[in-house]
């Protein structure tokens, strides 16, 4: 399972560097706040493979021990599949690290620009053409920096 | 010909109807392979047009001898010009607003959520300024423009027909078309108004009014190119007519529009704020052109009280 996952992640990283997901259905700035970058660490509780975006739900434990559910917006299932990231390649309960931007509405929704998978590989989740930070040239995927 | 591009039965039916309507076999290169990419699989490189450098192929023609505009068309982006901004050729990429137009702009930016983001029809002229590819199905009497988010408009081609004098307002208005030599000229009136309806002039959230008249001049100088010269006349919100030009390149063999499930799980719809967001000095919306990047160590949710 782990070697398979590693292979998948490498494929994702290579593909993401060359062709970030696309077809922005809304502009980044209409939904997310570029002045509110955020980093989350949480356990995967649910995945929705739907259009126009997939959504990943993670439980994040705050400093006071409270657990809150966060929604992470990601690429559509076709794009993820093309990158080799298919249903079953990650399991509920896996820990994800997400770096992105908070929704302007104040809801616990994040545009996942960089998502770190359990093996340490990072997916570039930036949407080319959505006007979000760095969307003109998607930054390459790479190893997690600690 | 187009059945190759879409597996959906609806498209097959449309193609059948067009065939009955008498569309002639297009003068096209060899039949392509079936399309395999769904919208969410496509990348920016699949959607934008690339300059065509192959041998010239003659313009295909319909039974009436006029250019057949049928095809899957990808837009050519102009260097140094913003995408999705109908003011791309204006000074500082800014449209010539009237006082009323400035108020309508404020309304659009502060009250109206991007209609396309919540699966409302984008309308005309917005779609002509979109960076997404589109498809045309064309017979001598009817023309359909079909858009990426699975919306479309119909245009009647009849030189004896005039635009209605008091049309019901629509997102795509009411359009009639005529030929002027090799150019198909489409006149559209009866559009909705940004001051009360969910319609934008373009991707940047500029306003359009119920007095807008859109005149499109479409030409297909050869098989691989489609050109548009579009004049928007809206003296309610703008001080003068303005013009938008663009060239599209025919898609690669096998490419075409496919299913786009706009409303399948549009969780975003409840969280998108009004307006297009910040418009940069380059005329583009958003932050993507200002060299902003994620900080190396973004703060956790506690910074935002979450």
């Amino acid at each position: 399972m782990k070697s398979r996952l590693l292979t998948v992640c490498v494929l994702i990283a290579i593909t993401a560097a060359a062709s970030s997901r696309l077809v922005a259905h809304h502009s980044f700035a209409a939904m997310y706040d570029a002045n509110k970058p955020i980093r989350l660490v949480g356990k995967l509780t649910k995945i929705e493979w739907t259009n126009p975006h997939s959504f990943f739900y993670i439980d994040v434990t705050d400093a006071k021990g409270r657990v809150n559910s966060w929604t992470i917006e990601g690429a559509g299932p076709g794009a993820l599949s093309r990158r080799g990231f298919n249903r079953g390649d990650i399991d509920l309960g896996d820990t994800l690290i997400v770096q992105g931007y908070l929704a302007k509405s104040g809801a616990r929704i994040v545009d996942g620009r960089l998502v770190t998978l359990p093996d340490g590989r990072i997916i570039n989740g930036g949407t080319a053409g959505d006007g979000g930070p760095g969307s003109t040239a998607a930054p390459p995927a790479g190893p997690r920096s600690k | 010909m187009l059945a190759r591009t879409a597996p959906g039965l609806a498209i097959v039916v449309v193609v059948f109807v067009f065939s009955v309507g008498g569309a002639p076999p297009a003068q096209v290169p060899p039949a392509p392979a079936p399309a395999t990419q769904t919208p969410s699989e496509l990348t920016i490189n699949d959607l934008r047009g690339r300059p065509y450098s192959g041998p010239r192929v003659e313009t295909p023609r319909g039974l009436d001898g006029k250019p057949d505009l049928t095809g899957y068309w990808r837009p050519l982006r102009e260097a140094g010009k913003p995408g999705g901004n109908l003011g791309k050729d204006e000074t500082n990429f800014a449209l010539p607003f009237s006082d009323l137009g400035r108020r309508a702009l404020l309304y659009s930016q502060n009250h109206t959520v991007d209609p396309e983001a919540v699966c409302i029809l984008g309308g005309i002229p917005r779609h002509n300024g979109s960076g997404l590819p589109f498809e045309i199905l064309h017979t001598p009497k009817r023309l359909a423009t079909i858009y990426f988010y699975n919306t479309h408009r119909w245009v009647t081609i009849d030189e004896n027909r005039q635009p209605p004098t008091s049309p019901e307002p629509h997102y795509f208005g009411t359009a009639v078309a005529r030929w002027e030599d090799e150019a198909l000229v489409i006149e559209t009136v009866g559009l909705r108004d940004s001051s009360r309806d969910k319609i934008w002039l373009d991707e940047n959230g500029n306003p359009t009014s119920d007095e807008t008249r859109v005149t499109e001049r479409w030409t297909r100088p050869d098989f691989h190119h489609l050109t548009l010269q579009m004049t928007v006349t809206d003296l309610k919100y703008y001080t003068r007519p303005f013009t938008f030009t663009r060239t599209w390149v025919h898609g690669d063999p096998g490419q075409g529009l496919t299913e786009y499930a706009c409303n399948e799980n549009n969780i975003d719809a409840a969280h998108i704020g009004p307006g297009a967001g910040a418009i940069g000095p380059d005329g583009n919306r958003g932050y993507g052109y200002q060299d902003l990047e994620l900080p190396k160590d973004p703060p956790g949710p506690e910074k935002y009280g979450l």
Side-chain angles (χ1 to χ4, degrees):
Chain A
M1 175 65 189
K2 289 298 179 187
S3 62
R4 182 183 173 203
L5 181 58
L6 178 60
T7 301
V8 168
C9 293
V10 169
L11 285 172
I12 290 170
I14 292 171
T15 306
S19 57
S20 54
R21 75 183 158 93
L22 175 298
V23 191
H25 193 231
H26 57 81
S27 78
F28 170 90
M31 179 154 173
Y32 297 102
D33 191 337
N35 296 313
K36 291 184 177 176
I38 190 169
R39 180 177 186 271
L40 301 171
V41 180
K43 289 191 179 302
L44 188 63
T45 61
K46 182 179 167 186
I47 306 173
E48 292 179 337
W49 303 96
T50 55
N51 285 305
H53 303 286
S54 295
F55 290 92
F56 299 81
Y57 298 82
I58 59 174
D59 275 352
V60 177
T61 303
D62 68 14
K64 295 181 179 177
R66 294 172 300 197
V67 177
N68 293 309
S69 177
W70 286 75
T71 302
I72 313 301
E73 183 175 313
L80 294 177
S81 176
R82 193 181 186 193
R83 298 170 192 177
F85 184 12
N86 295 303
R87 301 165 198 246
D89 287 336
I90 54 175
D91 294 327
L92 300 184
D94 283 348
T95 296
L96 300 181
I97 302 173
V98 177
Q99 297 179 64
Y101 294 92
L102 191 61
K104 292 165 74 174
S105 69
R108 291 188 174 91
I109 301 177
V110 168
D111 181 33
R113 309 299 281 195
L114 297 174
V115 180
T116 305
L117 294 172
D119 76 336
R121 302 292 295 180
I122 299 173
I123 300 171
N124 173 5
T127 303
D130 73 347
S135 70
T136 47
R144 175 172 38 176
S145 59
K146 292 185 177 179
Chain B
M1 179 182 76
L2 287 163
R4 73 181 188 272
T5 64
L9 178 60
I11 298 298
V12 172
V13 170
V14 168
V15 171
F16 173 75
V17 170
F18 271 76
S19 298
V20 170
Q27 303 161 34
V28 299
T36 56
Q37 292 171 297
T38 65
S40 57
E41 293 174 313
L42 296 168
T43 72
I44 198 89
N45 293 325
D46 295 316
L47 301 181
R48 287 184 184 167
R50 294 185 296 274
Y52 174 75
S53 57
R56 183 178 188 280
V57 177
E58 287 297 317
T59 303
R61 293 183 180 274
L63 282 179
D64 56 359
K66 297 296 186 182
D68 182 352
L69 307 186
T70 296
Y72 176 68
W73 299 105
R74 303 192 306 185
L76 282 177
R77 186 75 175 266
E78 297 174 67
K81 297 290 183 72
N85 181 349
L86 291 196
K88 72 178 178 64
D89 294 325
E90 299 286 331
T91 303
N92 297 324
F93 312 120
L95 291 167
F97 293 107
S98 65
D99 289 344
L100 206 55
R102 288 192 185 87
R103 290 171 59 184
L105 175 64
L106 281 175
Y107 185 87
S108 288
Q109 298 291 354
N110 292 288
H111 293 86
T112 307
V113 170
D114 184 346
E116 285 191 352
V118 289
C119 303
I120 293 174
L121 306 181
I124 287 293
R126 176 173 179 173
H127 273 297
N128 288 335
S130 168
L132 297 171
F134 77 112
E135 195 150 345
I136 292 179
L137 292 171
H138 181 189
T139 72
K141 292 299 182 185
R142 291 282 271 175
L143 177 137
T145 50
I146 306 167
Y147 303 106
F148 200 85
Y149 296 141
N150 288 178
T151 64
H152 67 276
R153 71 164 169 173
W154 289 100
V155 177
T156 297
I157 304 170
D158 185 347
E159 62 183 10
N160 297 315
R161 194 162 173 167
Q162 299 298 318
T165 53
S166 56
E168 184 73 15
H170 296 302
Y171 294 100
F172 286 101
T174 299
V176 296
R178 66 184 184 278
W179 286 99
E180 290 185 2
D181 194 16
E182 293 288 277
L184 182 67
V185 180
I186 304 175
E187 299 273 3
T188 299
V189 296
L191 290 154
R192 291 180 177 247
D193 193 310
S194 298
S195 289
R196 57 175 179 268
D197 300 316
K198 296 172 181 175
I199 186 170
W200 286 356
L201 180 86
D202 59 13
E203 309 288 287
N204 281 15
N206 288 313
T208 180
S209 87
D210 54 6
E211 296 180 10
T212 295
R213 172 181 288 263
V214 180
T215 305
E216 302 160 75
R217 295 180 63 86
W218 293 93
T219 58
R220 187 173 186 174
D222 57 38
F223 176 84
H224 291 93
H225 294 93
L226 180 73
T227 66
L228 169 67
Q229 183 184 64
M230 177 173 69
T231 300
V232 177
T233 303
D234 176 9
L235 298 182
K236 183 176 178 181
Y237 289 162
Y238 301 94
T239 58
R240 58 175 168 76
F242 51 89
T243 298
F244 176 89
T245 59
R246 174 170 279 178
T247 297
W248 286 260
V249 177
H250 201 277
D252 296 336
Q255 287 189 324
L257 295 179
T258 56
E259 179 179 285
Y260 189 94
C262 181
N263 232 348
E264 181 183 7
N265 192 32
N266 198 1
I267 292 173
D268 296 349
H271 300 278
I272 299 171
I279 307 297
D282 58 2
N284 287 300
R285 67 181 183 180
Y287 303 92
Y289 307 92
Q290 299 175 29
D291 297 327
L292 288 178
E293 294 292 349
L294 266 172
K296 187 175 181 182
D297 294 306
E302 61 278 358
K303 176 180 173 61
Y304 306 110
L306 295 171

